Amino acid sequence: MLSQPYGSGNMTAMDLYESLTSQGELVRTLKTEKAVKADIDAAVKLLLKLKADYKQVTGQDYKAGCPPLESTVLEDTGPAAAVDGEDMVDPWNVSTTSAKGVDYDKLIVRFGSSKVDQELVDRIERVSGKKPHRFLRRGIFFSHRDMHQVLDAYEKNKSFYLYTGRGPSSEAMHVGHLIPFIFTKWLQDTFDIPLVIQLTDDEKYLWKDLSLEDCHRYAVENAKDIIACGFDVNKTFIFSDLDYMGASPDFYRNVVKIQKHVTFNQVKGIFGFGDSDCIGKIAFPAIQAAPSFSNSFPQIFKGRKDIQCLIPCAIDQDPYFRMTRDVAPRIGYPKPALLHSTFFPALQGAQTKMSASDANSSIFLTDTPKQIKNKVNKHAFSGGKDTIEEHRKYGGNPDVDVSFMYLTFFLEDDEQLDKIRQDYASGALLTGELKKRLIDTLQPMITAHQERRKQVTEEMVLKFMTPRPLDFNF
Ligand code: TRP
């Protein structure tokens, strides 16, 4: 039986599971009894720490009522990639103890990226001649690498291309998954440039307890939701790794080049891999890196290796691209530029991002208007006061209120949003009214998505996923 040092003694996966279960109960009790905040915070902090440890020891997310299986227990998975005080962000974990969510300014410092400041937003507006997307106006895409360089080149008529992706771990996508795609669509329309979208079915097979065929099927199903975001088939190539890796000698050549230039020690440092991780995981980062280089797609870029790549992604994907940028000059390629987004909060609060495996943590793209209404009303964490009288007197806190956070993602009108913030903070707007605003915003948005998805035929999916030239001359 595996054991991992924890605290003073040696804790097994089962010990951790039991501690987690009782710690979870403690947090719930403290909350229902309205204990003092410091006590609740301390209990939540320990809970998150136990969850992170549990994941490290078992390789699985903790699930109440599901004790760890012997067969899924991994040994010695090494240190987590990024732990800083309370926030923890790596490609597999996001957690914080603050209700406002992760401290993104700290993350910029820790990751060594740059802030998307007003100057950059203004510059994007000047260069593109378009009003900046609300995700830029509101700091949702908050961090970047080399965006000024991309714009310098663009001003000199040097084009670039977009690369983003998704790990298809289930058929069910939620609204949070759409954030990078909504923004990527805007970038594509704004700059009129090619886009490649990687579906990492191989990654999900390596990390999750899923069959290869299921992962591939999810990739194709997810492609339909991505296509429903409105991408232009003449400007977009979507690929499953399981299909494209074997079909493209140029892509595989880049994978091998990258693999030769990254050591086990480096990926251990970046991703926290350990001696017991399968070698597929250790080799995978090269596969996520390869689409950052234009000659991985000779059909689109006519073999050119010097086309600059821009990657819009959530900040948790940055470790892959730090590695990519480190390798690029050593194998003769330009470094990809990046635009990083914040996380989309779970309905229960901004401490963590949403999980596709918990139906109540998020709004799914398949939810009915009624389900949306019920989920928001029942589960959206509120920054309001307990009674109407108190709320009117002291006002609510929009900074921790999940309905308000969701509106910052989806309500287009800046003035309306600002008024909602002010009215909620002053107490003029009640929690129920705020929730109604969100429901009224989400319902038509999700219905419209569902209608567009219905129009996506198998032939369209096949066309998007066929390697072919796009409408650009390189
Ligand atoms: N690893 C990502 C995930 O699990 C998928 C992905 C692959 C990706 N390439 C990307 C995401 C490029 C953003 C940008 O979701």
Side-chain angles (χ1 to χ4, degrees):
M1 179 84 197
L2 161 111
S3 65
Q4 165 113 350
Y6 180 82
S8 51
N10 275 354
M11 266 208 170
T12 63
M14 189 48 96
D15 293 338
L16 270 171
Y17 173 79
E18 282 165 5
S19 311
L20 257 167
T21 306
S22 50
Q23 190 65 19
E25 277 162 14
L26 176 66
V27 168
R28 265 191 303 280
T29 315
L30 288 173
K31 281 188 174 165
T32 41
E33 291 177 0
K34 302 220 168 359
V36 292
K37 187 168 171 309
D39 289 349
I40 298 179
D41 286 351
V44 170
K45 193 169 175 178
L46 180 57
L47 182 69
L48 290 173
K49 162 104 180 76
L50 285 165
K51 279 192 180 169
D53 290 354
Y54 183 83
K55 174 123 188 185
Q56 223 180 77
V57 170
T58 64
Q60 311 261 307
D61 284 313
Y62 165 78
K63 248 196 176 145
C66 303
L69 298 170
E70 285 277 334
S71 61
T72 62
V73 171
L74 303 171
E75 275 180 55
D76 181 26
T77 43
V83 185
D84 173 32
E86 310 173 320
D87 294 354
M88 154 129 164
V89 176
D90 69 30
W92 308 284
N93 302 287
V94 179
S95 62
T96 172
T97 52
S98 160
K100 289 187 192 173
V102 173
D103 184 335
Y104 290 108
D105 283 334
K106 257 205 219 155
L107 224 51
I108 288 175
V109 175
R110 195 170 77 204
F111 284 10
S113 59
S114 310
K115 193 178 168 88
V116 172
D117 52 15
Q118 194 55 45
E119 187 200 332
L120 177 58
V121 176
D122 291 344
R123 183 158 185 223
I124 292 174
E125 176 161 21
R126 240 182 300 123
V127 173
S128 71
K130 272 211 182 175
K131 179 174 178 180
H133 193 270
R134 60 178 185 276
F135 293 169
L136 283 172
R137 304 199 300 272
R138 298 182 190 157
I140 288 168
F141 275 80
F142 72 105
S143 153
H144 76 99
R145 296 183 190 276
D146 287 348
M147 261 318 279
H148 282 291
Q149 199 176 302
V150 170
L151 294 171
D152 288 344
Y154 188 77
E155 281 181 319
K156 294 187 191 118
N157 292 321
K158 251 185 93 186
S159 194
F160 59 99
Y161 74 101
L162 298 164
Y163 157 41
T164 191
R166 151 141 186 93
S169 51
S170 84
E171 240 167 89
M173 283 177 69
H174 55 60
V175 282
H177 292 138
L178 288 188
I179 304 304
F181 295 106
I182 292 171
F183 187 60
T184 301
K185 154 95 176 122
W186 181 83
L187 287 169
Q188 182 182 46
D189 291 348
T190 300
F191 292 100
D192 191 28
I193 41 177
L195 161 66
V196 297
I197 299 175
Q198 178 180 48
L199 302 172
T200 52
D201 37 15
D202 51 350
E203 176 191 18
K204 293 302 146 182
Y205 171 71
L206 290 166
W207 261 269
K208 307 245 162 183
D209 188 17
L210 295 169
S211 73
L212 268 173
E213 280 329 303
D214 279 346
C215 294
H216 185 260
R217 194 163 47 80
Y218 296 153
V220 175
E221 284 309 305
N222 289 180
K224 293 177 188 167
D225 280 301
I226 294 169
I227 292 167
C229 291
F231 293 108
D232 182 343
V233 69
N234 297 312
K235 299 178 179 176
T236 308
F237 173 46
I238 304 178
F239 62 99
S240 125
D241 283 345
L242 292 175
D243 291 336
Y244 191 60
M245 271 278 280
S248 170
D250 298 272
F251 190 92
Y252 189 56
R253 276 170 168 71
N254 273 341
V255 169
V256 174
K257 272 193 194 173
I258 298 159
Q259 286 173 342
K260 182 163 175 167
H261 291 83
V262 182
T263 65
F264 182 37
N265 249 324
Q266 284 171 311
V267 287
K268 257 202 272 197
I270 300 171
F271 300 99
F273 296 141
D275 289 351
S276 302
D277 279 311
C278 72
I279 59 173
K281 287 188 185 177
I282 294 153
F284 174 75
I287 300 172
Q288 182 153 334
S292 316
F293 305 129
S294 58
N295 62 350
S296 292
F297 307 97
Q299 66 282 7
I300 303 173
F301 302 106
K302 317 270 159 35
R304 282 183 62 175
K305 61 172 192 174
D306 61 337
I307 311 295
Q308 166 83 54
C309 174
L310 170 62
I311 306 170
C313 62
I315 186 76
D316 59 341
Q317 298 300 306
D318 189 66
Y320 286 110
F321 302 118
R322 285 204 294 271
M323 184 199 86
T324 308
R325 286 168 55 87
D326 181 64
V327 174
R330 290 188 279 130
I331 55 177
Y333 298 146
K335 290 181 181 187
L338 287 135
L339 272 168
H340 301 118
S341 72
T342 62
F343 301 116
F344 192 77
L347 278 172
Q348 284 73 10
Q351 277 91 343
T352 176
K353 68 174 180 177
M354 301 200 297
S355 152
S357 49
D358 177 355
N360 285 327
S361 76
S362 38
I363 306 291
F364 284 84
L365 300 178
T366 47
D367 283 348
T368 61
K370 203 170 150 202
Q371 282 173 316
I372 295 173
K373 183 172 166 197
N374 286 339
K375 279 192 195 178
V376 171
N377 281 334
K378 246 191 162 149
H379 299 290
F381 182 81
S382 168
K385 296 289 181 293
D386 288 341
T387 64
I388 294 189
E389 293 69 41
E390 276 183 55
H391 189 88
R392 292 276 187 229
K393 194 162 162 200
Y394 302 110
N397 182 357
D399 292 332
V400 301
D401 189 287
V402 171
S403 301
F404 183 77
M405 290 183 203
Y406 280 24
L407 282 171
T408 63
F409 279 87
F410 297 119
L411 187 68
E412 174 59 25
D413 191 308
D414 292 339
E415 278 171 31
Q416 277 184 37
L417 186 71
D418 206 44
K419 177 142 175 45
I420 292 172
R421 169 187 269 285
Q422 283 173 18
D423 288 350
Y424 195 59
S426 76
L429 192 72
L430 299 174
T431 295
E433 294 164 335
L434 174 65
K435 289 194 171 191
K436 178 148 191 327
R437 288 302 299 263
L438 176 63
I439 293 162
D440 291 344
T441 306
L442 285 178
Q443 283 174 335
M445 186 186 109
I446 300 293
T447 306
H449 178 88
Q450 289 165 358
E451 272 159 21
R452 286 192 306 269
R453 193 188 195 276
K454 256 191 258 153
Q455 314 282 315
V456 178
T457 62
E458 297 297 328
E459 295 80 71
M460 278 165 77
V461 178
L462 198 66
K463 178 141 193 226
F464 270 99
M465 299 187 71
T466 301
R468 73 217 122 88
L470 300 178
D471 272 3
F472 297 94
N473 274 325
F474 284 95

